[in-house]
Amino acid sequence: MPRPAALAAAALPPLLLAAVGLTHPLVLTPESAPWWRDLHVIGLVAFPLLALGPWVIVRGRGLLLEGVVIVLGLVYACFYTALDVLAGIGGGHQTMVLGPGPWVASLFGIADELVVPGVYAYLATAVIGGVTAILVTPGIGRVVAVVGTVLVVGGAYSFLTSHIYYPVGVLTMVVLAVGWTAMAAVVPRPVRSSPRQRQPVPT
């Protein structure tokens, strides 16, 4: 992957979510319900893309390492999507159609339970990605990798409870964008083994 593409993959998803978070209603009401529902439809695409950040760092560093991060990213994407669908789209739509009621609290309750494995999986990718960046980055770039690791691990920890609500959730997304982008800028490109030259067939 070219460096500009890696930087874009690391930076753009959290920055998009930060921008959406600036408009996230703080309370679900009949008035805020339409945008509450619609912004979580956007989230169906945007939230899973956060898993690109750690993948950009570990790609090409070994099949096992990359596989672990991909699996954790899949766990994050699946379980966080459950939150978007239930509390976001479902809660917003039900409030639009039926108004406030116990069904909203019920949707929020199951969503809060289902999202837990997802956010912890993302925290694990932040730790793995950060440690990998520190280990593979030489020279002064390693200092940047350390700073990036602190940012993404802190951001992923904040993400456990902040979602993208303003102001903490928005700041969390910005911190993740800066951290992943800093590491993507300094980690060396993985060395790909060249294919073996075909040996001449003895005659």
Side-chain angles (χ1 to χ4, degrees):
M1 178 186 292
R3 182 80 68 178
L7 294 173
L12 293 182
L15 289 179
L16 171 61
L17 287 166
V20 173
L22 290 172
T23 69
H24 195 307
L26 296 179
V27 180
L28 176 57
T29 65
E31 293 73 28
S32 67
W35 179 234
W36 183 288
R37 179 197 62 187
D38 293 346
L39 76 83
H40 287 95
V41 173
I42 298 172
L44 290 179
V45 176
F47 275 110
L49 293 179
L50 284 180
L52 289 176
W55 174 75
V56 162
I57 305 304
V58 304
R59 64 192 174 87
R61 312 288 173 190
L63 290 177
L64 178 60
L65 180 64
E66 192 169 358
V68 168
V69 168
I70 289 173
V71 170
L72 288 171
L74 180 62
V75 171
Y76 153 72
C78 291
F79 283 92
Y80 213 90
T81 296
L83 173 73
D84 272 342
V85 170
L86 292 167
I89 299 171
H93 188 73
Q94 289 296 87
T95 302
M96 288 173 58
V97 174
L98 302 174
W103 44 84
V104 175
S106 177
L107 287 171
F108 274 51
I110 186 62
D112 288 343
E113 292 178 17
L114 288 175
V115 79
V116 171
V119 287
Y120 276 105
Y122 190 77
L123 177 58
T125 67
V127 173
I128 294 171
V131 170
T132 301
I134 293 170
L135 292 177
V136 304
T137 304
I140 192 64
R142 182 166 292 175
V143 176
V144 178
V146 170
V147 173
T149 298
V150 172
L151 291 175
V152 298
V153 172
Y157 184 79
S158 174
F159 191 39
L160 294 175
T161 55
S162 66
H163 189 47
I164 55 171
Y165 288 109
Y166 178 85
V168 177
V170 172
L171 180 60
T172 294
M173 291 298 112
V174 173
V175 166
L176 288 173
V178 173
W180 289 125
T181 305
M183 288 190 286
V186 297
V187 293
R189 297 183 66 175
V191 178
R192 302 287 185 180
S193 58
S194 58
R196 294 180 179 179
Q197 294 182 346
R198 181 175 297 175
Q199 300 296 322
V201 178
T203 57

